[in-house]
Amino acid sequence: QVQLVESGGGLVQPGGSLRLSCAASGNIRSIYLMGWYRQAPGKQRELVALETNTGSTNYADSVKGRFTIARDNAKNTVDLQMNSLKPKDTAVYYCRVDATTIMRPRYDYWGRGTQVTVTS
């Protein structure tokens, strides 16, 4: 089983910055990818950024050049540095980990989510 703990959300003014962190724990055999998704009120959950076990990254067009994802394989963590934040970035941000454990095949694990609010 895998547990995810998210942190770093909060209230920030337009143009400000936040850094989200996600820590994975449990009897993990391997992690195929770690990433961040978000869901705004009345909207579907969408990809923000992810990084695979081969080092490939994928960003939503709306955040390219502003957000940066970074994995730490030794600590099983993934951070999302968010700069030049806009009101449209307001959403609940969820950590996703695609992993295998000793008792379970490849499976998607999701965090509870952390609120990011960008407003004047």
Side-chain angles (χ1 to χ4, degrees):
Q1 305 298 326
V2 177
Q3 290 181 306
L4 304 179
V5 179
E6 301 146 317
S7 62
L11 179 67
V12 66
Q13 294 183 346
S17 297
L18 286 173
R19 188 177 184 89
L20 304 183
S21 296
C22 176
S25 62
N27 296 322
I28 301 172
R29 279 188 173 271
S30 62
I31 296 177
Y32 294 91
L33 68 85
M34 301 185 76
W36 287 94
Y37 293 68
R38 67 187 180 187
Q39 187 169 22
K43 303 293 184 180
Q44 294 182 327
R45 186 175 298 184
E46 64 176 355
L47 169 71
V48 178
L50 64 82
E51 185 169 348
T52 71
N53 59 348
T54 62
S56 298
T57 58
N58 190 17
Y59 292 89
D61 289 339
S62 61
V63 307
K64 288 181 179 178
R66 300 188 297 123
F67 292 9
T68 303
I69 192 167
R71 289 181 62 185
D72 188 326
N73 294 328
K75 298 180 179 179
N76 286 335
T77 61
V78 60
D79 291 354
L80 183 69
Q81 178 65 47
M82 304 186 295
N83 299 326
S84 302
L85 283 162
K86 304 175 180 180
K88 291 185 177 181
D89 294 319
T90 297
V92 177
Y93 284 69
Y94 297 90
C95 179
R96 176 197 172 199
V97 176
D98 185 357
T100 59
T101 69
I102 190 172
M103 295 182 292
R104 200 171 196 175
R106 187 171 176 174
Y107 186 82
D108 279 336
Y109 298 87
W110 292 88
R112 291 184 176 183
T114 182
Q115 178 70 46
V116 172
T117 302
V118 185
T119 182
S120 299

